[in-house]
Amino acid sequence: MYGTCRARCWNGSCSNNRPEARRFRVDTGFYGDDTLFVFVLVMANSAAKINGAKNLSATGDLVVNFFEWFGNIGIFWARSFWTALSPPYEFREFLRQFDELGSKSLPLVAIAGAATGVVLTLSTRDSLIRFGAKSLLPAVVIFSIIKESGPIITALVVSGRAAAGIGAELGAMRVSEQIDAMEASAVNPYKFLVATRVLACMLMLPLLTLVSDVCGILMGWVANTAAEPISLQLFIHNGFKVVTFNDFLPATLKTVVFGLIIGVISCFQGMRASGGTEGVERAATNSVVLASLVIILADVLLVRLILVLFS
């Protein structure tokens, strides 16, 4: 029924002709000597199932950590907002942070705004000449700077400087236990450290945006004059004759939200730093990366909201 093995054995018998081997050959389709191959297949299948379970578990942990981070930062913001409203108020620390974030960020913002104006003018001029609309260049440059380029460039520049500084400063205070010492001295760190920095970022961003807009418009005029002479008065008149307050005010005030994002994220990352100098480095890096990313995502929502409310 099963057939006989034709292999020659020294004692005239073969293990493949035994009933156990024949039964194994019928049930599995493999000979008795192929047991090792079957074992390898079973182990490989088990390993694949384990790796799949690990990948699924890692994905689940990533999703949980994502929502946990948003929940923690929401609680952190609510606590900071509540402490900022309750007296006593830290006016001296607020003014110090206002100067720290404003005056020291002013040169970077001015240079970034000027560079943006030059780039917009040079790139837009060539495109408008192709379509025969060169006279619209001042309006296009000024409209682009006021509506979008000025606010977002200012927010990203301040995020690169202020977020890193706040995250590193608060992270160093956390790992050196200075914040714990403040709490032991009955000083609320959320009022003294967090609320002052968040409020300073919120109030300073619109002012820095105005500086960026002015520098961008002036350098846009310089770049245009270098190619084709035009007076500053005519450039400003042609540019602002189609601009209204609905174009200027919402785009400038949305930087208050950008300042809130920079202040809350950088303070949150700094306050939860741990692990010595490596923790301070992670806090500074995460502050810049997360603040810049959230600013770009928030800008998408704010642009759509402004179009719905003011268009």
Side-chain angles (χ1 to χ4, degrees):
M1 179 178 179
Y2 299 103
T4 59
C5 179
R6 297 181 181 180
R8 295 182 180 180
C9 301
W10 66 275
N11 57 357
S13 63
C14 181
S15 60
N16 290 334
N17 289 328
R18 295 174 184 175
E20 296 82 358
R22 291 195 300 270
R23 188 162 52 251
F24 177 80
R25 187 170 70 244
V26 172
D27 295 338
T28 64
F30 295 99
Y31 287 98
D33 294 339
D34 295 331
T35 305
L36 179 61
F37 179 71
V38 176
F39 177 75
V40 171
L41 288 179
V42 173
M43 293 301 295
N45 187 29
S46 301
K49 291 181 179 180
I50 292 175
N51 291 332
K54 288 182 178 179
N55 293 334
L56 183 61
S57 177
T59 304
D61 293 340
L62 183 62
V63 174
V64 170
N65 292 335
F66 175 78
F67 286 103
E68 183 180 4
W69 183 84
F70 270 102
N72 290 334
I73 200 171
I75 296 173
F76 179 84
W77 175 82
R79 184 175 180 181
S80 303
F81 179 76
W82 179 256
T83 56
L85 295 179
S86 58
Y89 304 107
E90 302 290 344
F91 289 109
R92 181 175 298 179
E93 179 65 15
F94 166 72
L95 292 177
R96 190 181 74 85
Q97 293 299 324
F98 197 79
D99 176 70
E100 180 74 19
L101 297 174
S103 62
K104 295 185 179 180
S105 299
L106 186 60
L108 298 177
V109 170
I111 294 173
T116 302
V118 173
V119 171
L120 278 176
T121 302
L122 295 179
S123 60
T124 307
R125 177 182 173 80
D126 181 66
S127 301
L128 293 179
I129 289 176
R130 294 183 181 182
F131 292 99
K134 185 177 63 174
S135 61
L136 297 177
L137 179 62
V140 172
V141 171
I142 292 177
F143 201 80
S144 300
I145 291 176
I146 290 178
K147 288 280 288 185
E148 187 59 33
S149 300
I152 193 67
I153 291 297
T154 303
L156 293 177
V157 170
V158 175
S159 173
R161 184 197 172 277
I166 293 174
E169 182 182 7
L170 296 187
M173 295 179 68
R174 170 60 73 182
V175 299
S176 61
E177 299 181 353
Q178 296 182 42
I179 296 179
D180 298 333
M182 292 178 61
E183 294 176 344
S185 303
V187 177
N188 191 344
Y190 286 89
K191 178 183 292 293
F192 187 80
L193 298 177
V194 177
T196 54
R197 286 164 171 80
V198 173
L199 189 59
C201 288
M202 293 175 62
L203 296 182
M204 184 53 65
L205 257 294
L207 301 179
L208 292 175
T209 301
L210 294 178
V211 175
S212 176
D213 292 345
V214 171
C215 293
I217 292 172
L218 289 178
M219 292 305 299
W221 167 72
V222 171
N224 188 27
T225 303
E228 182 179 354
I230 182 175
S231 65
L232 178 61
Q233 182 179 0
L234 181 60
F235 185 87
I236 296 297
H237 179 267
N238 292 337
F240 278 98
K241 66 181 180 181
V242 295
V243 177
T244 63
F245 271 103
N246 288 338
D247 299 320
F248 169 74
L249 205 57
T252 303
L253 292 181
K254 75 178 180 180
T255 56
V256 174
V257 180
F258 296 158
L260 175 66
I261 292 172
I262 293 172
V264 171
I265 291 181
S266 58
C267 290
F268 176 71
Q269 294 297 133
M271 292 284 284
R272 68 199 296 255
S274 60
T277 55
E278 294 182 357
V280 176
E281 179 186 1
R282 286 194 302 269
T285 304
N286 293 337
S287 298
V288 176
V289 173
L290 293 176
S292 302
L293 180 61
V294 176
I295 284 172
I296 295 174
L297 297 178
D299 187 48
V300 177
L301 300 178
L302 291 174
V303 168
R304 181 58 184 170
L305 183 63
I306 290 173
L307 290 176
V308 171
L309 296 179
F310 295 95
S311 296

